């Protein structure tokens, strides 16, 4: 597994295109697939934050958060483009991020990215995860 920074070092063109597709609407938007308790897939929209060498997300309480705590595997897919079929997809595992300074810095980024919408900072119940990406594996 690799942090976003390590992924970008190994696959710079792919990471650049991926970041552009995840942020095509000005804020990070993607579909997140997690693994349900019964092993089936679950898909939800989410807001990735690519910052400080990592890809992170604040995940609200609910099935998606529970899935990630129980089984950290994920698949992530960018939102569809309006005028092309371009897409970004990755898989990997998450790690809970509990460092208060990291959480504060990323909460500030989250709010700043959404300044036009006056979004409040993530609540304590919104758990922060770092998404590590699987690279170098053939499909």
């Amino acid at each position: 597994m690799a942090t976003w920074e390590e992924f970008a070092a190994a696959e710079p063109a792919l990471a650049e295109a991926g970041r552009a597709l995840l942020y095509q609407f000005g804020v990070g938007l993607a579909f997140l697939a997690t693994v349900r308790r019964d092993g089936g897939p679950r898909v939800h929209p989410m807001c990735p934050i690519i910052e400080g060498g990592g890809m992170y997300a604040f995940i609200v309480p609910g099935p998606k958060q529970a899935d990630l705590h129980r089984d950290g595997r994920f698949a992530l897919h960018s939102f569809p483009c309006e005028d092309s079929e371009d897409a970004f997809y990755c898989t990997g595992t998450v790690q809970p991020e509990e460092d208060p300074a990291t959480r504060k810095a990323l909460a500030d980024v989250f709010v700043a990215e959404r300044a036009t919408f006056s979004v409040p900072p993530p609540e304590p119940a919104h758990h922060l995860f770092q998404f590590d990406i699987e690279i170098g594996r053939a499909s």
Side-chain angles (χ1 to χ4, degrees):
M1 294 302 145
T3 64
W4 185 270
E5 183 174 54
E6 293 164 341
F7 166 61
E11 299 284 347
L14 184 57
E16 183 180 341
R19 183 185 182 99
L21 286 163
L22 292 172
Y23 277 84
Q24 66 182 300
F25 300 104
V27 298
L29 292 172
F31 290 106
L32 175 65
T34 59
V35 181
R36 295 185 323 228
R37 185 174 299 283
D38 67 3
R42 187 188 319 269
V43 178
H44 295 275
M46 56 86 83
C47 299
I49 302 167
I50 299 173
E51 183 71 27
M55 180 166 59
Y56 301 89
F58 289 98
I59 306 295
V60 300
K64 181 172 35 177
Q65 187 188 91
D67 289 348
L68 292 175
H69 279 298
R70 188 188 68 264
D71 181 333
R73 294 177 294 164
F74 75 89
L76 183 130
H77 194 284
S78 60
F79 271 43
C81 295
E82 188 174 308
D83 57 356
S84 75
E85 292 188 22
D86 292 351
F88 175 73
Y89 167 82
C90 65
T91 61
T93 58
V94 299
Q95 306 297 322
E97 177 57 67
E98 297 177 1
D99 177 59
T102 301
R103 182 180 176 87
K104 170 75 169 95
L106 292 169
D108 290 347
V109 170
F110 182 86
V111 170
E113 286 181 353
R114 292 152 184 80
T116 359
F117 308 111
S118 299
V119 173
E123 298 173 12
H126 300 177
H127 295 179
L128 179 61
F129 293 91
Q130 178 171 328
F131 290 73
D132 291 333
I133 301 167
E134 186 172 19
I135 56 175
R137 180 171 179 236
S139 300

